[in-house]
């Protein structure tokens, strides 16, 4: 990936075309990937987020980072929650959802790229996920709770989808004014917000 250690990133914001780009599969697992994941965790924490996809900082690689609290475990917790929540924060490389659970539930979602807008999104309660670690090891797990929700949200980003795209017309009408204001503000700054580490 030929990345260098950076102190500046540009968070892509709602309304711009960069968030619609499809991210590329990661094929090289090297020090640059480790540095990028480390920077992404720092950005996520700086912005008080629980998930971040590389596309959100203008890097179109299939990489996400997560930091989900152990207190968010479902009751009973799924195997994936038991396996992964104690390891947070963590990165998933080339994550893909290989199976969706049949139960669909609502949850108010927000997004670092769509600041201060929260709206109800319907998603499956559980998912089965296949991904790689930062050293290229393949992992597979089933998860529910906030972990499942966050992974679905971040994988959407890798595929050029933001949570606003998943809102029903009824729900979207409730936040239309906020979204319009975000787009107007974003246009003035080329739909980017500078982030210093």
């Amino acid at each position: 990936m030929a990345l260098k250690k950076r102190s500046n990133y540009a968070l892509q914001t709602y309304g711009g075309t960069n968030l619609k780009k499809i991210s590329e599969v990661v094929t090289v697992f090297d020090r640059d990937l480790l540095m990028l994941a480390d920077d992404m965790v720092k950005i996520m924490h700086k912005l008080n987020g629980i998930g971040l996809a590389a596309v959100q900082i203008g890097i179109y690689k299939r990489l996400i980072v997560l930091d989900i609290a152990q207190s968010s475990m479902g009751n009973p917790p799924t195997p994936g929650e038991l396996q992964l929540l104690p390891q947070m924060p963590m990165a998933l490389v080339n994550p893909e959802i290989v199976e969706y659970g049949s139960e669909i539930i609502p949850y108010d979602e927000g997004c670092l790229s769509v600041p201060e807008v929260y709206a109800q999104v319907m998603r499956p309660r559980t998912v089965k996920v296949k991904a790689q670690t930062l050293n290229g090891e393949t992992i597979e797990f089933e998860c529910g709770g906030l972990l499942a929700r966050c992974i679905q949200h971040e994988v959407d980003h890798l595929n050029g989808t933001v949570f606003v795209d998943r809102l029903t017309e009824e729900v979207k009408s409730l936040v239309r004014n906020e979204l319009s204001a975000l787009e107007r503000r974003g246009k003035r700054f080329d739909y980017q917000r500078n982030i210093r580490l």
Side-chain angles (χ1 to χ4, degrees), residues 34-183:
L34 292 173
M35 286 194 303
L36 174 58
D38 184 61
D39 283 352
M40 286 173 61
V41 168
K42 289 174 182 172
I43 292 166
M44 174 178 64
H45 286 160
K46 184 168 188 162
L47 299 175
N48 298 313
I50 60 171
L52 184 72
V55 61
Q56 290 177 268
I57 54 170
I59 296 172
Y60 306 102
K61 297 291 183 182
R62 299 188 80 81
L63 171 66
I64 67 174
V65 294
L66 307 165
D67 196 359
I68 312 294
Q70 290 196 55
S71 60
S72 75
M73 276 196 200
N75 187 13
T78 55
E81 290 172 281
L82 290 170
Q83 175 188 350
L84 299 181
L85 293 188
Q87 300 179 43
M88 296 290 167
M90 70 177 305
L92 295 177
V93 185
N94 301 323
E96 58 179 305
I97 297 169
V98 295
E99 188 177 321
Y100 293 89
S102 58
E103 185 182 1
I104 308 297
I105 60 170
Y107 189 86
D108 274 1
E109 291 188 24
C111 180
L112 297 177
S113 291
V114 191
E116 299 176 25
V117 175
Y118 297 88
Q120 190 178 87
V121 183
M122 303 295 291
R123 293 192 193 268
R125 181 188 292 274
T126 60
V127 288
K128 288 184 180 175
V129 179
K130 182 178 181 181
Q132 289 168 282
T133 64
L134 288 169
N135 62 16
E137 176 190 354
T138 298
I139 57 173
E140 296 187 54
F141 55 90
E142 179 182 354
C143 62
L146 188 57
L147 178 59
R149 174 73 53 166
C150 193
I151 288 175
Q152 291 177 77
H153 179 112
E154 301 306 335
V155 168
D156 269 357
H157 273 306
L158 302 181
N159 296 322
T161 299
V162 294
F163 84 94
V164 174
D165 299 329
R166 293 198 175 273
L167 302 181
T168 64
E169 277 306 310
E170 180 183 2
V171 172
K172 196 167 187 177
S173 69
L174 300 175
V175 293
R176 199 175 308 280
N177 290 342
E178 291 98 318
L179 292 173
S180 296
L182 269 181
E183 281 201 81

Side-chain angles (χ1 to χ4, degrees), residues 12-14 24 29-30 74 82 120 156 160 174 184 196:
Q12 309 300 304
T13 60
Y14 178 75
E24 300 172 359
F29 294 79
D30 59 6
L82 290 170
Q120 190 178 87
D156 269 357
L174 300 175
R184 287 193 302 272
R196 281 192 66 85

